[in-house]
Each structure stands twice: as C-alpha cells, then as structure tokens.
Amino acid sequence: MEEPLNYGHQHTLLLLNEDQLIVADCSMCGEKVSTPCFSCAEDCGFYLHKVCAEAPLELNHPFHPDHPLLLMHYSLLIKNPGYSSGYTCDFCYKDGNEFVYHCSCGLDFHIKCALFTFNIAENNLKELEHVALLLPLISTENDDDKLEDVAKCFGCREPLAKYTHFSPDCGFNLHEKCAKLPFKLNRVWHRKHPLVLQFNRERLSCKICQVTTGRGFVYGCSPCKFVVHIECVSTSFDFAVKEKSHEHPFNLFRRPSSFICDACGTEGIYVAYICCTCNIMVHKKCTSLPRIIKSKWHDHRLFHKYLLPDEFGSSDCIICHDEVDPEHGSYCCSHCNITFHVHFTLENEDEMPNESSISVIEWNDAGEAEKVKHFKHMHNLMLGPFVGGYENSCDGCMLPISDPFYYCSECGFFLHKACAELLKMKNVWYHLCQEPLTLISDKVFKCGLCSEVSNAFAYECCRCENKICLRCVVALTPGAQTCLKHEHPLFLYRDQERKCNACGKATWNAFCCKDCNFVLHAGCFSLPITARHKCDEHLLLLIDHDDNNYSKSHHCDICEESRDPNRRFYHCATCDTSAHVSCVLGNYPFLKLGSIIYEETCHPHPLTIVKKKYYYPDCDECSNPCEDVALECSKSECKYIVHWDCVAPDSLWFEWSM
C-alpha cells in the first residue's frame, strides 16, 4: 500500500498488522492505539491509527457542502479568538487539542468524528462495522444506568435507550436509525428545494419547534436559510390533539406561511394546530401548555391567558421588560397584575426544594400558625398581638416591626410574618448567576444590590456567594408594598450609567420607568417607607417631594442644613418634622445593635455592635470619639472599643462570621 503522510515526523512509518498490545497514544487524535496502526521505524514512540494516518488532508463532506474541511493541528488555530486552549468538536461536543478537521466558517471536528459522519453521508455502513452496536437498556463500561435520560443521540438528541445505537464507549452516541437517514427529503411545506441532511453550521432555529440546537444533524435548505430537526421532520403529526390544558381539540393545519401562535405569542411556520371553536392557532408544543403553573421566578401561581384581561394596566414582561401582546398568549398573576412571556415562565424549571423556613407547632382557631419554630432561631416564636410599640425592628429585614409578626418571649427576637415564611431556598430573576439563593443569617455582609452593610437575614448565591438583603428581595417581589411606589412600573436595568432622581447619584443598578424617564438606584428603591429617629416620637414617613413652596421650610431638622425639595426625605405630618434620608438612617442603619461578633483579628475577645447615645468613649484605633456604630468588647472588665469603620470598612474585604 501507499506509505502515509508523516505529518511532520522525521522518520519512516511502518504498518503493524500483528495482534499485539501497544500502550501508546495516537499522535494525531490523542486516543489509545491498537493494531493495525503505523509505528515509527526508529522506535521513537510515534504512533498513528491506520484510519488517522490515511485521513485525507482535505475532506469534502456531504453534510457540509459549502466549504472543504482541512486537516490541521489545532496549534494553527490559536491565533483565532476562542482557540487558545483547544477546540470543541461540533459533532460529539467534546474538547480536543490534537489534529482537527477545520472549516473557515467555524466548524471543527475530531478526525474520527469527521470520518464517521462522512461514512454515514456516503452510506458506507460497512465502514462502521468496527463500531459496536448496543441494544436499549444495556449499560456501558462507564456505569451509565440503562442509558435512559443519561445520554442522548448526537444526531436527533433523543435518549439513546429508545433505539439500538452505536456504543458510546467508541465515542459515538448515535442511534442506528440516525445512521440510516435519507440524505434528501421532499416536503410539501418546503416545495422550492429538497431538504438535505447536514450540520447546523449557522445554528439556525428549527422552523417547526423554534428551538435552536448548536450540534447534531438537521435537514436544511442552505439557499433559504431553512432548517428542521430530525425528530420534527420525521414526526408523523397528529391530525387531532386533545389536551387537558384546552377544553377543545386542536386540528392539524398545514400552511405555507408564518403565523403568530395565539398561545405563546411567537412566530410559527408551516405546521400549526387550530381550535375552530375558539378561533386560535398554536404550535404543536403549545397545545399542551399548562393552564396554571408555579414558576420559580414568582411567588404566586401564574395563569395562562390567550387574551389579557382589561385590568392588566401594564403588559410589559416583568423579566425582559418588553411588551406582552395582550391579544396573544401569556402568563399572568392576578394577585400582582403582572405578566410574563410564556418562554420565561417555562424555561429552566429545575426542581428545587420548596421548603419553608418555619415548622408549625400550634394552630389557632382562625387557622393561623400561632406557634412556630424558625430554623434560624433557637426558641419557639409566637404570633403577635402587637405588643412592642415602635421600638422593635424585624430581625430579618431590620425594618420597623408591624402586624402581622412573630416574636420570641425569651429573647426579644422579632420577625414579620412575611419574613418568617420565606423559603429556605429561592430563585430571583434579577440575579446574574441565575442560581438558587439560600437563606442565611448571622453574617455581616454588603448587599449586592443596595450596597448596605447588614447582619440581618439575606439570600446567598450558591455559586458566586453574592448576598442580597431581605429588604431588596422583598422590595423586588412583584406586588410587594415595601417601597415607595412610582405611578408607573419600574424595571431593573444594568446596561448603562444613569442618574437617580431620588438622591442625584450616578448608578448602574437602576430601576427605570419606561414612560417618564424616572430613575432610582437600588439603594433608594429599597429605602424603608417608615423609619425611627430620636428627633421625633412618631414614625417618620418617606416622602417623594415637598409640596410646601415656602423655601424656609426646606431644611433638615436633624442637621439643620438645607435640603432639596425634589429629593426624597423623611417627614412627620403630626410634628411637621422633615429630615434628610441620610440623617435619619445614619451610616449603618441595618446592623443589629447588641449582636456579638465572635471572630475579630485585632482583639482576643468577642465584640458587640453598639451605638453610644449618652457618652462617646475614644476609639482605641483612631482616638476619636465613638459617635457612630462601634465594636465594644463584650467582657465588662475590658474597655476596648473601636469605630466600625476602623476595623470593618465599607468594602468588607473579608466577611465576619457571627
């Protein structure tokens, strides 16, 4: 036979046909070699699979007719963005850092994957006899349990367990039926050109199911930019579909043009199902949309509507902020008067424990949980009556306590009922990681949204460990009444710097109104509606603007400086007291005074968070009077005290464990 190319190797290569054990890797594909193979005549450790050695330098692949695939070492690709650490095969989706079949349009294939699919395209099934076939429900050497839902076919993306398939141990998760697919198909809903089996080079979405998959086979028409999945083109569509989610049957309707699905509001093409009774047209997948769902992005049940009721004043999706067409399908919450696009409520609905933070010990006659145990507190909690006046704050959110609430009769621990009933784990749509958040307490942290320092309850991301305070979590819950409302809906944006209307500061985490250019930064959005200060015996109310035109009234009753009447301030209507927000709240309004910090690097004893009211001892670090939040030694015989800022700056470079 003709001697193979040496691929840069300086010695002659010999073909080894004898049955012998070789412990070496192929110098082209990196996998273990076995005979027949080529070996270096000088015995320098250079080996090539026979298939790799005979692989053509240029492969005109029928599944990719636009350009040839060129065989090269991946090191030639590292000058291109995204290839610094190797490549990802567009067939098996596994990484590689050896030789690759590469196309200028961005496709990359392992040698064996390119040749394997080439034989499928050329119908050279005899060339695949060396690849083992497995029957359904047979485990592999990789300890896959019956393969069902464990691995999917590279071609059609269905589970391998459904059909006889090529062994994954040989690197090919492929159904036998997908290796025997016809190369060309003619379909009445695409009469212009035949559909050709090919790689989805441009990552186009399927025209039937609207889903985009980056790998596997598709039937496509390159001139028309048209692709359909194997399972979609081969499915024998039911002529009538009866689903529990709709009271009437849907009938198959083939049309050669696009339509807007009345169930989800997105485009559909070629294959539609219609309900003649309701005069609606939907995708097949939308015939089974559930009428009622519990989405991880919202605390209440969501109802599917083909037509939004008139009471929904705003039809902007709470997730993406784009308008929801009221005449097409959407999910809505009647409790909060908000809407969601269908795909946001259904995507990534992973199972997550729906575990409450409290366990009920006793119920009262009205059916309320009267005595509960909260997993973050050592004693049982009782449902109020309101007994504490306004001097107590919720240990969960640090806002003034109000009805309904739980309290501990043994240690003065208070929780709003809403804060007590929060789940141990929660998904929030505005968190960038999109990972579940876990309820934590007893840590000093800086909130990732409002940047306030607190040691109350928070939700912590399982991946990035970012923390969001309870005030922000509750304030950002649609329908919550914990923040000062704007006349129009406000949506969270992170795309550009904006100026806050409440405080005048620049911000990137901005809550914006699409109707009137109103902007609030996260800290102002979650400001407490009510607050306490020693300047007034009553609760102070957060006010949006001052209607008093008398200029001498525009001053702060705490610092006695002037204030901007167009900026938010706290006010007592009974006493006519007005004050800056910063003067009322102070520097650290959400740190629980009296809490003990057990680990501190500069002092051997536990420290207590304090705020002196009647005398101000000198700070042991800076020698200035401790007029604000300070840390004081919990041992009475030790007089150590320091400003909070002296040992725990706002940046919180480290976290304090409590």
Side-chain angles (χ1 to χ4, degrees):
M1 63 170 291
E2 183 179 349
E3 184 175 316
L5 296 172
N6 285 14
Y7 294 99
H9 191 63
Q10 65 270 31
H11 304 140
T12 303
L13 299 180
L14 301 177
L15 178 63
L16 301 179
N17 284 314
E18 62 270 19
D19 187 12
Q20 64 184 79
L21 179 64
I22 300 175
V23 182
D25 295 333
C26 175
S27 299
M28 285 190 66
C29 69
E31 296 192 2
K32 299 296 181 183
V33 296
S34 58
T35 55
C37 66
F38 285 94
S39 173
C40 175
E42 301 296 327
D43 197 22
C44 68
F46 186 86
Y47 289 89
L48 292 178
H49 289 117
K50 187 172 183 292
V51 173
C52 293
E54 296 173 350
L57 293 176
E58 183 175 300
L59 185 65
N60 294 307
H61 203 299
F63 289 166
H64 188 60
D66 297 336
H67 313 105
L69 302 177
L70 303 180
L71 185 61
M72 61 179 67
H73 194 270
Y74 95 98
S75 60
L76 299 177
L77 303 177
I78 60 176
K79 296 181 180 180
N80 299 328
Y83 287 99
S84 59
S85 60
Y87 65 92
T88 300
C89 176
D90 284 285
F91 176 68
C92 72
Y93 221 58
K94 295 179 181 178
D95 295 334
N97 56 8
E98 303 292 340
F99 278 78
V100 56
Y101 271 108
H102 175 73
C103 177
S104 57
C105 67
L107 286 178
D108 297 299
F109 299 96
H110 296 126
I111 295 175
K112 68 173 185 177
C113 291
L115 297 179
F116 181 80
T117 55
F118 180 82
N119 287 325
I120 292 174
E122 294 290 301
N123 201 26
N124 294 328
L125 299 184
K126 289 186 177 181
E127 297 292 332
L128 305 180
E129 290 179 353
H130 67 285
V131 182
L133 278 174
L134 288 182
L135 295 174
L137 307 182
I138 296 180
S139 299
T140 69
E141 295 177 3
N142 297 326
D143 295 327
D144 293 335
D145 294 333
K146 295 187 177 181
L147 293 177
E148 190 165 11
D149 297 325
V150 175
K152 294 184 177 181
C153 172
F154 291 155
C156 69
R157 307 306 303 154
E158 289 185 9
L160 291 178
K162 289 186 176 181
Y163 309 98
T164 301
H165 59 278
F166 289 97
S167 170
D169 296 330
C170 298
F172 301 112
N173 289 13
L174 191 73
H175 294 128
E176 183 184 20
K177 70 179 183 69
C178 291
K180 298 178 180 179
L181 291 169
F183 184 63
K184 289 185 179 182
L185 288 176
N186 292 297
R187 286 293 183 266
V188 294
W189 29 264
H190 191 70
R191 295 188 178 96
K192 291 183 179 180
H193 312 103
L195 301 178
V196 179
L197 195 62
Q198 58 189 254
F199 300 118
N200 191 5
R201 173 174 63 90
E202 298 185 55
R203 275 62 170 176
L204 299 174
S205 60
C206 173
K207 292 296 185 182
I208 292 179
C209 72
Q210 310 297 308
V211 176
T212 302
T213 53
R215 53 178 169 148
F217 300 146
V218 293
Y219 277 102
C221 174
S222 297
C224 300
K225 302 289 185 181
F226 178 98
V227 299
V228 289
H229 294 138
I230 292 173
E231 62 271 29
C232 292
V233 75
S234 61
T235 299
S236 56
F237 294 103
D238 300 325
F239 286 96
V241 176
K242 174 64 177 172
E243 295 288 349
K244 294 180 181 179
S245 58
H246 191 68
E247 58 266 38
H248 311 122
F250 285 97
N251 296 305
L252 177 64
F253 177 69
R254 302 183 189 273
R255 59 180 295 162
S257 59
S258 63
F259 65 95
I260 300 299
C261 174
D262 288 309
C264 69
T266 61
E267 185 184 27
I269 300 178
Y270 302 107
V271 177
Y273 283 82
I274 60 173
C275 172
C276 298
T277 305
C278 301
N279 194 28
I280 58 175
M281 181 178 293
V282 301
H283 302 114
K284 182 180 181 181
K285 64 180 180 180
C286 291
T287 61
S288 57
L289 278 180
R291 290 182 182 179
I292 305 173
I293 64 170
K294 183 64 178 71
S295 172
K296 69 179 183 180
W297 303 127
H298 194 61
D299 292 337
H300 306 131
R301 293 188 303 168
L302 301 178
F303 294 80
H304 182 262
K305 301 289 185 181
Y306 289 100
L307 184 68
L308 277 178
D310 293 337
E311 60 264 24
F312 283 85
S314 171
S315 57
D316 290 335
C317 175
I318 200 69
I319 302 295
C320 69
H321 314 157
D322 291 336
E323 184 180 3
V324 176
D325 191 334
E327 296 185 358
H328 291 288
S330 61
Y331 278 99
C332 61
C333 174
S334 57
H335 179 79
C336 304
N337 276 12
I338 59 172
T339 55
F340 296 83
H341 286 119
V342 169
H343 65 277
F344 282 120
T345 57
L346 298 180
E347 67 182 11
N348 300 321
E349 289 298 319
D350 299 329
E351 289 291 331
M352 188 183 70
N354 194 27
E355 189 175 359
S356 175
S357 298
I358 61 173
S359 55
V360 180
I361 299 175
E362 292 180 8
W363 301 87
N364 61 19
D365 294 338
E368 298 174 310
E370 186 174 45
K371 186 177 183 180
V372 300
K373 180 71 173 68
H374 194 281
F375 83 111
K376 287 295 184 181
H377 190 66
M378 65 184 76
H379 306 131
N380 295 333
L381 303 178
M382 300 297 297
L383 185 65
F386 194 74
V387 294
Y390 288 114
E391 69 272 11
N392 296 308
S393 296
C394 172
D395 286 86
C397 65
M398 292 301 296
L399 298 181
I401 200 68
S402 58
D403 284 329
F405 70 96
Y406 287 102
Y407 70 96
C408 176
S409 59
E410 297 186 46
C411 63
F413 180 85
F414 290 84
L415 280 180
H416 291 121
K417 188 171 184 289
C419 295
E421 293 173 347
L422 289 170
L423 298 176
K424 289 184 179 180
M425 296 187 68
K426 183 179 180 67
N427 285 291
V428 292
W429 56 267
Y430 48 84
H431 182 56
L432 295 177
C433 276
Q434 302 277 294
E435 290 290 323
L437 305 181
T438 303
L439 187 64
I440 64 168
S441 65
D442 301 334
K443 283 186 179 180
V444 178
F445 65 92
K446 176 183 280 189
C447 175
L449 274 178
C450 68
S451 298
E452 291 285 357
V453 176
S454 178
N455 60 342
F457 285 12
Y459 275 99
E460 181 178 41
C461 177
C462 303
R463 177 188 294 176
C464 69
E465 298 184 355
N466 188 28
K467 299 168 184 63
I468 304 174
C469 70
L470 236 56
R471 293 180 304 104
C472 287
V473 170
V474 176
L476 280 162
T477 301
Q481 302 296 322
T482 60
C483 56
L484 194 62
K485 296 299 180 183
H486 181 64
E487 57 183 324
H488 307 130
L490 298 179
F491 297 99
L492 178 61
Y493 291 87
R494 293 186 174 98
D495 54 351
Q496 65 184 41
E497 190 177 41
R498 306 167 193 262
K499 187 176 181 180
C500 176
N501 287 75
C503 65
K505 297 178 181 178
T507 179
W508 283 87
N509 285 340
F511 291 85
C512 305
C513 175
K514 297 173 65 176
D515 298 314
C516 62
N517 296 322
F518 182 79
V519 176
L520 287 179
H521 85 276
C524 288
F525 180 83
S526 58
L527 280 176
I529 296 179
T530 58
R532 292 187 302 270
H533 193 272
K534 62 183 180 181
C535 70
D536 199 288
E537 61 180 323
H538 307 109
L539 275 177
L540 301 174
L541 181 67
L542 185 65
I543 302 296
D544 204 44
H545 62 281
D546 196 343
D547 293 328
N548 192 337
N549 294 324
Y550 186 49
S551 60
K552 289 187 177 180
S553 70
H554 300 156
H555 70 279
C556 173
D557 287 309
I558 296 177
C559 69
E560 300 183 351
E561 299 289 337
S562 64
R563 59 178 178 79
D564 189 336
N566 296 316
R567 305 295 186 202
R568 291 187 171 188
F569 65 100
Y570 281 103
H571 180 68
C572 173
T574 304
C575 305
D576 196 25
T577 302
S578 299
H580 294 122
V581 169
S582 58
C583 290
V584 172
L585 298 182
N587 290 333
Y588 300 103
F590 306 114
L591 282 174
K592 289 190 286 186
L593 301 181
S595 299
I596 296 178
I597 295 177
Y598 291 101
E599 293 182 7
E600 204 280 308
T601 56
C602 301
H603 191 69
H605 307 144
L607 300 177
T608 304
I609 301 176
V610 297
K611 192 172 184 178
K612 298 298 183 182
K613 294 182 179 180
Y614 305 109
Y615 73 101
Y616 307 107
D618 292 340
C619 172
D620 280 52
E621 291 289 330
C622 68
S623 299
N624 292 320
C626 290
E627 296 179 343
D628 208 330
V629 176
L631 294 176
E632 183 179 55
C633 184
S634 60
K635 294 183 177 296
S636 58
E637 65 272 15
C638 180
K639 303 301 180 183
Y640 178 81
I641 187 170
V642 290
H643 287 113
W644 172 270
D645 287 341
C646 288
V647 292
D650 287 345
S651 54
L652 285 176
W653 296 108
F654 54 91
E655 285 189 358
W656 303 66
S657 298
M658 297 182 59

